Amino acid sequence: MIAEAVAAGVLIPLDHAKRPGCYLHRSNPNDVARTENLTMVCTPTREEAGPTNNWLAPDETYAKLRGWLGGSMRGRTMYVVPYIMGPAGSPFSKVGVELTDSIYVALSMGTMTRMGSAALEMLGDSDDFNRGLHGTLDVSPERRLICHFPQDNTIWSTGSGYGGNALLSKKCFALRIASWLAREEQWLAEHMMIVGLESPQGETTYVAAAFPSACGKTNLAMLTPPRSMKGWKVRTVGDDIAWLRIGPDGGLWAINPEFGYFGVAPGTNEKSNHNAMKMMARNTIFTNVAMTPDGDVWWEGIDQPPPENLIDWQGRPWRPDAGVKAAHPNARFTSPMRNNPVLSPHVDDPQGVPISAIIFGGRRAATVPLVLESHDWTHGVLMGATMGSETTAAAVGQVGVLRRDPMAMLPFCGYNMGDYFAHWLAMGKLLRKPPKIFMVNWFRKDGDGRFLWPGYGENLRVLRWMIDRIDGRARGVEATVGLVPDPAELDLKGLALSPDGLRESLKADRGEWKAEMAAAGDFFRKIGPTLPDPLEAIRHAIAGALDGGGGRAAGS
Ligand code: GTP
Ligand code: SPV
Ligand code: MN
């Protein structure tokens, strides 16, 4: 199939001495990221999809897409792609079958999922599988729609060949449809990375983090500890999606349903993510990166000067003074997880790994401190439900616009957002050993627009404070909107950070948080009648405490 894709010009071989088994794919320039405005939840009623999703009526939508798809694969090869999300045989796992006329999609699914006979074996005679139908058509935005039919466990996607629009296992099944199934079956399908943090004493703490697209999940999942933290080991379980269930111990257990990483290339370099650079040294499909004249890859932030005669992501000659980017800002690598040098040995465990902390975070130039701990589960759900983040190139549209992105699931929740919040609260009641919930922000800026916190590997310092809180070694300081670290509780050895800079990054400013809680209130009004009362009650109490100058506002 690779040879066929090369012959068809879908894949361009890279230099196999430098990058064995690696290929470049250039997508249609009109098709370079998820299209949220063309993504639909097709439930019988509009209310089931809720106010944050685009909705279309199922019958009419099936009919319309049937019209577009009819005959569209004539003369093309149709690939039948059976796959498992999750380890084979795990009670967490689910089977899907995607029909696609894109060889790029079929090959990518082979890296991103456990594809092939294992899936057919697991399925057996059952008809309990996700039905995915993907037709590339003529890659016209006029005939592009990504439609989810949760009641039918079905996804039909047309007119796009890119990432989350076309690899139906990923956002479409493992998040939108799975979130629907998870509510029915009392579990959670979340846009979260999963990582194990092993202390020098050999104790491993697992945390799961929900950040919006292109806000740092892959990087956090495979970070290299700072030099001063010898003896700490970071082990990746997942980099994008977590399926979480309540275990026999009453705690939350997580698997990564995927088998590979579809990661953001720009900004990835030896310093920021050494492990990712190693991972993509072989058996990787690069999409929309720039190509060097000697058959290697290049992108902005790779930390190497661009060689002469670079070819840009659209296949055109590029020069540094061209004033345009050589790689698309949403250029990606598709690598097998087995290539990750710090892959967790527990990644195939059928029962998953036990989660001690859930972390919410976004891209916030202001307001949100480096880290904030919630007072309890309900307050933590409020943190997730009201989190904001600046938009990125992972989706079509303006970049850098602040929007509410609850639990990083705004584009991925397959049902009514208010009902989703209620499901989170209900899960909290069922958990006898709930994880702690934190919020983080690696992206706060100073007055000159520079990041206050160095980020990447240094983020382990923040994760260690969380572990100290979980194990009862750190106390934290009450800041009305949550608990922040006492600066003395952070291990800052070997880090060049001014005391002023640290104070600035840890600050929860009363005025900024009043505005934040007001914005949260506006968002809650948009959710409408399905919004659970306890969330509005805590939001109101915090807003009141900020007004009145009181101390602790939220709590059980
Ligand atoms: P999706 O795959 O779209 O869900 O993205 P993601 O959440 O996995 O984000 P990823 O780790 O790929 O990071 C996205 C961009 O943010 C890349 O350009 C990174 O280099 C950059 N980034 C990641 N972590 C940090 C950090 O701690 N600080 C700063 N300043 N940038 C970061
Ligand atoms: C994201 O946008 O969150 C991604 C990339 O992980 S895509 O698969 O295109 O959705
Ligand atoms: Mn993602």
Side-chain angles (χ1 to χ4, degrees):
M1 281 176 67
I2 288 176
E4 264 178 52
V6 170
V10 174
L11 293 184
I12 300 165
L14 295 168
D15 179 355
H16 283 188
K18 287 200 193 70
R19 280 186 197 274
C22 291
Y23 298 86
L24 167 64
H25 171 72
R26 296 192 184 116
S27 75
N28 188 311
N30 80 25
D31 187 32
V32 293
R34 282 184 296 103
T35 44
E36 295 180 359
N37 55 324
L38 301 175
T39 299
M40 304 290 155
V41 174
C42 306
T43 43
T45 66
R46 190 186 283 271
E47 288 66 38
E48 286 162 285
T52 59
N53 279 313
N54 300 307
W55 175 83
L56 286 175
D59 289 350
E60 288 155 39
T61 308
Y62 276 131
K64 176 184 187 148
L65 296 187
R66 236 178 238 122
W68 289 356
L69 284 160
S72 74
M73 294 187 186
R74 195 168 294 139
R76 300 182 183 180
T77 302
M78 185 178 80
Y79 300 91
V80 180
V81 185
Y83 62 92
I84 312 175
M85 297 310 280
S90 159
F92 283 78
S93 297
K94 296 202 180 278
V95 173
V97 180
E98 175 169 353
L99 307 183
T100 176
D101 59 4
S102 161
I103 194 168
Y104 166 77
V105 167
L107 286 168
S108 298
M109 291 289 286
T111 297
M112 294 302 294
T113 70
R114 294 164 174 90
M115 182 187 80
S117 51
L120 295 177
E121 265 160 44
M122 185 168 150
L123 187 60
D125 296 334
S126 166
D127 73 346
D128 181 13
F129 64 96
N130 181 266
R131 289 122 167 92
L133 173 54
H134 170 245
T136 313
L137 308 184
D138 53 354
V139 205
S140 161
E142 301 294 310
R143 278 168 294 282
R144 185 169 297 158
L145 276 182
I146 296 87
C147 297
H148 304 74
F149 305 88
Q151 277 91 348
D152 303 337
N153 200 357
T154 292
I155 304 152
W156 286 14
S157 165
T158 60
S160 166
Y162 196 86
N165 282 351
L167 309 178
L168 302 185
S169 60
K170 196 172 175 56
K171 306 303 180 170
C172 299
F173 180 29
L175 289 178
R176 295 193 194 94
I177 297 286
S179 63
W180 174 283
L181 297 172
R183 183 171 60 134
E184 289 189 337
E185 299 166 5
Q186 292 195 327
W187 51 284
L188 293 165
E190 299 296 330
H191 192 199
M192 290 178 180
M193 56 68 98
I194 309 161
V195 70
L197 310 165
E198 189 187 323
S199 73
Q201 291 74 40
E203 272 166 42
T204 302
T205 307
Y206 293 94
V207 305
F211 307 159
S213 303
C215 290
K217 289 182 300 300
T218 300
N219 278 271
L220 192 65
M222 50 198 309
L223 69 79
T224 303
R227 216 185 291 277
S228 70
M229 274 185 207
K230 276 245 145 42
W232 280 85
K233 293 188 186 124
V234 171
R235 296 289 178 258
T236 320
V237 179
D239 86 316
D240 196 52
I241 296 176
W243 285 359
L244 307 115
R245 286 180 189 266
I246 300 174
D249 63 346
L252 198 58
W253 291 69
I255 64 155
N256 167 18
E258 298 191 282
F259 201 51
Y261 307 160
F262 184 57
V264 175
T268 310
N269 62 55
E270 275 303 331
K271 265 209 315 276
S272 66
N273 196 343
H274 164 76
N275 293 321
M277 294 303 281
K278 273 192 109 160
M279 184 169 69
M280 59 178 99
R282 59 201 154 89
N283 302 331
T284 292
I285 300 176
F286 295 89
T287 301
N288 294 340
V289 301
M291 188 167 84
T292 67
D294 57 351
D296 205 354
V297 293
W298 191 89
W299 48 76
E300 280 72 17
I302 199 171
D303 221 19
Q304 301 283 333
E308 269 184 57
N309 303 319
L310 196 66
I311 310 290
D312 79 1
W313 65 276
Q314 297 187 65
R316 304 172 306 196
W318 181 89
R319 289 167 40 131
D321 60 4
V324 294
K325 292 201 176 353
H328 189 277
N330 191 37
R332 299 241 168 194
F333 55 86
T334 306
S335 298
M337 73 175 182
R338 302 277 177 227
N339 278 11
N340 176 359
V342 295
L343 188 68
S344 166
H346 297 290
V347 75
D348 293 312
D349 284 8
Q351 79 283 8
V353 296
I355 299 297
S356 299
I358 288 173
I359 306 168
F360 294 117
R363 224 173 244 277
R364 294 297 298 268
T367 310
V368 178
L370 183 61
V371 56
L372 201 57
E373 181 187 329
S374 70
H375 295 127
D376 56 26
W377 181 268
T378 310
H379 179 218
V381 173
L382 175 78
M383 279 183 175
T386 59
M387 75 190 229
S389 192
E390 290 139 24
T391 51
T392 67
V396 171
Q398 229 185 320
V399 170
V401 183
L402 180 64
R403 68 174 185 183
R404 296 296 127 189
D405 189 348
M407 282 86 171
M409 285 287 278
L410 180 72
F412 307 122
C413 182
Y415 60 100
N416 188 300
M417 192 59 83
D419 292 336
Y420 170 74
F421 295 159
H423 178 53
W424 264 84
L425 294 178
M427 287 293 288
K429 292 227 161 65
L430 295 172
L431 282 163
R432 274 176 287 118
K433 274 176 39 187
K436 276 185 176 293
I437 301 181
F438 297 88
M439 169 159 252
V440 299
N441 179 20
W442 317 139
F443 299 96
R444 202 171 192 173
K445 289 179 175 169
D446 66 13
D448 299 324
R450 278 183 303 242
F451 290 123
L452 279 161
W453 178 253
Y456 299 103
E458 309 297 342
N459 294 334
L460 183 58
R461 301 175 190 273
V462 177
L463 300 179
R464 274 190 58 195
W465 181 74
M466 294 180 192
I467 297 173
D468 285 346
R469 285 289 304 147
I470 291 161
D471 295 341
R473 281 187 298 265
R475 300 184 51 151
V477 180
E478 182 52 54
T480 308
V481 294
L483 230 59
V484 293
D486 181 327
E489 292 170 345
L490 287 172
D491 176 355
L492 300 172
K493 202 171 353 133
L495 188 64
L497 189 67
S498 73
D500 276 356
L502 181 65
R503 211 171 308 121
E504 195 61 22
S505 62
L506 290 175
K507 186 178 72 178
D509 178 82
R510 189 171 293 271
E512 285 181 336
W513 274 93
K514 276 196 211 175
E516 184 71 4
M517 286 296 111
D522 292 343
F523 179 64
F524 277 179
R525 272 185 288 285
K526 190 179 153 199
I527 301 293
T530 57
L531 180 80
D533 294 334
L535 293 187
E536 174 56 16
I538 300 191
R539 188 203 66 81
H540 190 78
I542 294 177
L546 290 165
D547 271 336
R552 184 182 162 121
S556 42

